[in-house]
């Protein structure tokens, strides 16, 4: 087996976004496109010779082909060992778990998360560092710099590796170990949650649930954990076989795309609990019977009840949320006397806080919750956290949430997305807003007075790195907020996100529909940003 050095030319569009490089499959299938990016990752690293790399993905179209290329390039570039999930499958949190458990140098995860899969849809690749978390900005910037200068890559001329058979084989001087995709992760979950209690709760018939894996990566994990280890009836996990095109669906666990689950939980004879995960298993949606838990509330409720869960029984070090996530968890942190950090959007910004022991739980409005057990957000972990709380409290999801609002007040919350907007128009809208920002403080808009307005900038408290222009915040004197930012994960045009939040301490006023409660703010957001005029859209594509 010989190492080939292949001449190549740079592509100009390999700048990683919020979470790695996401493009159409067809873009990745261009000659040298994937190879250039993988070589740029390796070129940006130091000291990996002879070390271990973890590789796996969410099973979407092009996963297997990409893995074969990566294995041969890792061998040619001098890695000592690669651990790859069986069939090329590793959920994002499981990959993080495997990197940490094996003290690997890093990992490459293949996923475009919740974006649809298939030959005409999306693919993605991201690099995770040795703590198991997404590469921080200084690493992704270095990868991007290398991608602009690359002239050649190295690849081993070799047969494909059999990804379906567990065990070890040799690829040049590198060892390839095909590992069980589920066991390490499921063991970690069993070490954090009271599986005996949850199993009994299910066996006693006190909890009927439905878990929707949306034909994406969590199927095998969910079946192993909920049906096999916790004894839930077979069939509890639906859409549990990972498919290359996710069965034609959009594996995004929200009320719009997880409609199959929503219909069950809002239908006749609905079960007590429902949950869905996304393409790569790091997102979650939690439902009670005829009841939706917003991700921001979910984070706050997990934090408030963490003492009930074995893995988190002693005090939490602190909590962290991304800037656009509602301030519900801030209230919990204040009451429990712990620190609460506000970071830019992107799980990578939690890594330093978790490593430094400053935060134990983290979460984002984008259906992501997690803790210091790995360095990625973790969908099934969030489901198990909820099950553990339900089993201890023996209450319904709805009553737990409503009790929480009584204690802490309710943060009404909604995100309005305008997808695939013309990029130039979206950028102009943001530029206009930026120029308005310095003039807004103190201004009155109907019932709302602007208390502050800025373009969010974050200084990492651990390494001092600064991330600017992370979204425009307009805060009002009654605690309401509007945030505007452009998504960093879309693959077509631009996605404009508007995050709306208001605070309601009065229990008598906590039962409104969020769109109704936020109606005035929604109108105001359009007045300030001229969304309809600038985008040419009458309404958002997705409301969550
Ligand atoms: C990724 C990031 C998250 C982020 C989300 C949305 O999630 O890991 O931190 O909140 O994208 O980002 P944006 O608003 O820029 O589109 P995932 O699940 O897509 O990997």
């Amino acid at each position: 087996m010989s190492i080939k050095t292949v001449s190549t030319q740079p592509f100009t569009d390999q700048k990683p976004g919020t979470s790695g490089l996401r493009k159409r499959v067809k873009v990745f299938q261009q000659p040298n496109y994937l190879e250039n990016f993988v070589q740029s990752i390796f070129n940006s690293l130091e000291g990996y010779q002879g070390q271990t790399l973890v590789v796996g993905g969410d099973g979407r179209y092009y996963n297997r082909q990409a893995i074969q290329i990566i294995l041969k390039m890792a061998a040619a570039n001098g890695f000592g060992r690669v651990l790859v999930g069986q069939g090329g499958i590793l959920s994002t949190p499981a990959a993080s778990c495997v990197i940490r458990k094996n003290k690997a140098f890093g990992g490459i995860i293949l996923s475009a998360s919740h974006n649809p899969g298939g030959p005409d849809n999306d693919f993605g690749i991201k690099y995770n560092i040795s703590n198991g978390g997404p590469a921080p900005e200084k690493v992704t910037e270095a990868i991007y710099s290398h991608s602009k200068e690359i002239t050649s890559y190295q690849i081993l001329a070799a047969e494909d590796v059999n990804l379906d058979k567990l065990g070890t084989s040799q690829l040049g001087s590198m060892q390839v170990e095909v590992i069980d995709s589920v066991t390490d992760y499921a063991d970690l979950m069993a070490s954090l949650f009271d599986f005996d209690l949850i199993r009994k709760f299910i066996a006693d018939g006190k909890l009927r649930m439905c878990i929707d894996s949306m034909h994406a990566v969590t199927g095998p994990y969910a079946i192993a954990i909920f049906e096999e280890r916790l004894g839930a009836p077979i069939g509890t996990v639906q859409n549990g076989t990972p498919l290359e095109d996710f069965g034609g669906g959009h594996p995004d666990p929200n009320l719009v795309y997880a409609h199959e689950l929503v219909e069950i939980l809002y239908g006749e004879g609905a079960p007590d609990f429902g949950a869905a995960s996304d393409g790569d298993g790091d997102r979650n949606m939690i439902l009670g019977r005829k009841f939706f838990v917003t991700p921001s509330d979910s984070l706050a409720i997990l934090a408030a009840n963490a003492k009930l869960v074995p893995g988190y029984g002693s005090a939490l070090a602190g909590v962290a949320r991304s800037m656009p996530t509602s301030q519900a968890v801030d209230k919990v942190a204040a009451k429990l006397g712990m620190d609460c950090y506000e970071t830019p959007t992107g799980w990578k910004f939690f890594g330093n806080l978790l490593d430094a022991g400053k935060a134990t739980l983290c979460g984002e409005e984008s259906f992501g919750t997690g803790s210091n057990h790995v360095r990625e957000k973790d969908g099934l972990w969030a489901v198990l956290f909820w099950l553990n709380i339900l089993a201890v409290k023996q209450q319904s999801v709805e009553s737990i949430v409503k009790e929480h609002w009584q204690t802490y007040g309710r943060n009404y919350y909604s995100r309005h997305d305008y997808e695939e907007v013309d990029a130039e128009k979206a950028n102009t809208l943001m530029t206009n807003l930026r120029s308005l920002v310095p003039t807004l403080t103190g201004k009155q808009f109907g019932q709302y007075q602007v208390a502050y307005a800025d373009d969010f900038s974050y200084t990492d408290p651990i390494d001092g790195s600064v991330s600017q222009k992370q979204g425009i915040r307009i805060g009002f004197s009654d605690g309401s907020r509007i945030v505007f930012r452009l998504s960093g994960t879309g693959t077509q045009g631009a996605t404009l996100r508007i995050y709306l939040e208001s605070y309601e301490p009065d229990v008598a006023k906590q039962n409104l529909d969020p769109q109704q409660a936020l109606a005035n703010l929604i109108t105001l957001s359009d007045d300030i940003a001229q969304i309809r005029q600038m985008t040419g859209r009458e309404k958002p594509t997705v409301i969550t």
Side-chain angles (χ1 to χ4, degrees), residues 208-212 238 258-275 285-292 397:
R208 285 192 307 125
M209 62 177 172
C210 181
I211 307 288
D212 192 347
Q238 64 178 34
H259 53 86
E260 222 179 284
L261 179 76
V262 173
E263 277 150 30
I264 294 171
L265 267 291
Y266 282 77
E268 282 303 303
D272 308 292
F273 181 84
M285 175 172 72
I286 303 292
L287 298 174
R289 187 183 300 126
K290 299 188 179 18
F291 194 83
F292 167 64
V397 170

Side-chain angles (χ1 to χ4, degrees), residues 288-448:
R289 187 183 300 126
K290 299 188 179 18
F291 194 83
F292 167 64
V293 186
T294 64
S296 296
D297 277 349
S298 180
L299 171 64
I301 290 162
L302 300 192
N305 292 286
K307 58 181 180 303
L308 306 177
V309 175
Y312 305 89
S314 47
L316 302 178
V319 288
R321 63 164 172 83
S322 66
M323 181 273 281
T325 302
S326 100
Q327 298 159 95
V329 75
D330 304 35
K331 302 259 184 286
V332 176
K335 185 155 187 187
L336 301 185
M338 59 186 167
D339 289 331
C340 179
Y341 296 88
E342 184 176 41
T343 61
T345 293
W347 204 263
K348 60 191 171 206
F349 293 103
F350 294 134
N352 279 348
L353 295 170
L354 293 166
D355 283 351
K358 300 253 179 221
T360 309
L361 298 187
C362 307
E364 293 186 282
E365 50 67 40
S366 55
F367 295 81
T369 349
S371 85
N372 57 356
H373 69 290
V374 289
R375 292 293 180 275
E376 288 278 5
K377 57 187 188 275
D378 190 343
L380 295 183
W381 168 90
V383 175
L384 287 163
F385 209 124
W386 266 96
L387 292 184
N388 204 145
I389 293 172
L390 290 170
V392 174
K393 291 182 85 108
Q394 308 257 332
Q395 275 172 262
S396 71
V397 170
E398 180 172 351
S399 74
I400 288 174
V401 175
K402 289 195 166 161
E403 246 179 50
H404 185 90
W405 293 341
Q406 275 171 25
T407 311
Y408 296 96
R410 177 173 184 186
N411 290 70
Y412 280 110
Y413 189 80
S414 183
R415 186 177 100 187
H416 288 202
D417 291 340
Y418 293 77
E419 294 178 330
E420 299 190 19
V421 172
D422 178 83
E424 206 181 307
K425 288 183 181 160
N427 283 319
T428 310
L429 181 148
M430 290 302 289
T431 309
N432 292 352
L433 267 177
R434 280 201 175 93
S435 62
L436 268 184
V437 159
T439 69
L440 288 176
T441 305
K443 269 202 176 158
Q444 192 78 32
F445 292 94
Q447 69 192 93
Y448 300 105

Side-chain angles (χ1 to χ4, degrees), residues 17-19 22 92 111-115 126 134 278 280 282-283 322 324 344-350 364-368 376-377 415 417 485-490 495 497 499:
T18 308
S19 182
R22 290 186 193 167
T92 289
S111 172
S113 186
H114 53 288
N115 296 10
K126 63 175 181 162
D278 70 334
D280 61 332
D282 55 2
R283 295 186 176 201
S322 66
T345 293
W347 204 263
K348 60 191 171 206
F349 293 103
F350 294 134
E364 293 186 282
E365 50 67 40
S366 55
F367 295 81
E376 288 278 5
K377 57 187 188 275
R415 186 177 100 187
D417 291 340
R485 61 179 282 281
L486 296 183
S487 156
T489 56
T495 295
R497 301 204 196 284
Y499 310 83

Side-chain angles (χ1 to χ4, degrees), residues 158-170:
E159 292 292 309
D160 282 358
V161 173
N162 182 348
L163 296 178
D164 297 308
K165 191 164 170 273
L166 294 177
T168 304
S169 61
Q170 214 50 41

Side-chain angles (χ1 to χ4, degrees), residues 58-334:
D58 63 10
R60 68 177 59 225
Y61 185 83
Y62 202 54
N63 192 47
R64 282 174 176 267
Q65 294 90 324
I67 288 177
Q68 297 294 349
I69 291 169
I70 293 165
L71 291 178
K72 290 170 197 172
M73 289 186 67
N77 278 275
F79 274 93
R81 182 169 75 132
V82 168
L83 302 177
V84 58
Q86 189 175 22
I89 293 287
L90 277 179
S91 76
T92 289
S96 186
C97 162
V98 172
I99 293 170
R100 293 170 69 77
K101 185 170 176 187
N102 292 280
K103 301 195 168 35
F105 188 86
I108 293 182
I109 304 175
L110 303 159
S111 172
S113 186
H114 53 288
N115 296 10
D120 296 320
N121 284 306
D122 291 350
F123 190 73
I125 173 168
K126 63 175 181 162
Y127 179 69
N128 279 29
I129 58 175
S130 59
N131 72 355
E137 273 191 335
K138 62 175 188 304
V139 178
T140 55
E141 284 301 325
I143 297 171
Y144 180 46
S145 299
H146 281 283
S147 79
K148 290 188 286 189
E149 290 161 5
I150 190 166
T151 54
S152 67
Y153 63 85
Q154 293 197 298
I155 189 160
L156 196 73
E159 292 292 309
D160 282 358
V161 173
N162 182 348
L163 296 178
D164 297 308
K165 191 164 170 273
L166 294 177
T168 304
S169 61
Q170 214 50 41
L171 197 56
S173 46
M174 186 182 85
Q175 207 182 68
V176 179
E177 200 177 325
V178 177
I179 59 168
D180 181 278
S181 312
V182 176
T183 307
D184 288 342
Y185 176 81
D187 289 348
L188 176 60
M189 294 301 110
S191 75
L192 296 172
F193 301 106
D194 192 339
F195 270 33
D196 289 340
L197 185 76
I198 301 172
R199 195 181 303 111
K200 182 166 184 318
F201 189 49
I202 295 171
D204 289 348
K206 292 186 179 156
L207 180 88
R208 285 192 307 125
M209 62 177 172
C210 181
I211 307 288
D212 192 347
S213 289
M214 302 186 84
H215 283 306
V217 80
T218 56
Y221 297 87
I223 290 168
I225 292 171
F226 300 112
E227 296 183 3
E228 292 166 13
R229 296 202 187 195
L230 294 173
I234 290 171
T236 296
V237 177
Q238 64 178 34
N239 300 321
T241 306
L243 298 175
E244 285 197 332
D245 66 348
F246 309 121
H250 195 135
D252 197 354
N254 60 39
L255 293 173
V256 178
Y257 294 121
H259 53 86
E260 222 179 284
L261 179 76
V262 173
E263 277 150 30
I264 294 171
L265 267 291
Y266 282 77
E268 282 303 303
D272 308 292
F273 181 84
S277 317
D278 70 334
D280 61 332
D282 55 2
R283 295 186 176 201
N284 73 89
M285 175 172 72
I286 303 292
L287 298 174
R289 187 183 300 126
K290 299 188 179 18
F291 194 83
F292 167 64
V293 186
T294 64
S296 296
D297 277 349
S298 180
L299 171 64
I301 290 162
L302 300 192
N305 292 286
K307 58 181 180 303
L308 306 177
V309 175
Y312 305 89
S314 47
L316 302 178
V319 288
R321 63 164 172 83
S322 66
M323 181 273 281
T325 302
S326 100
Q327 298 159 95
V329 75
D330 304 35
K331 302 259 184 286
V332 176

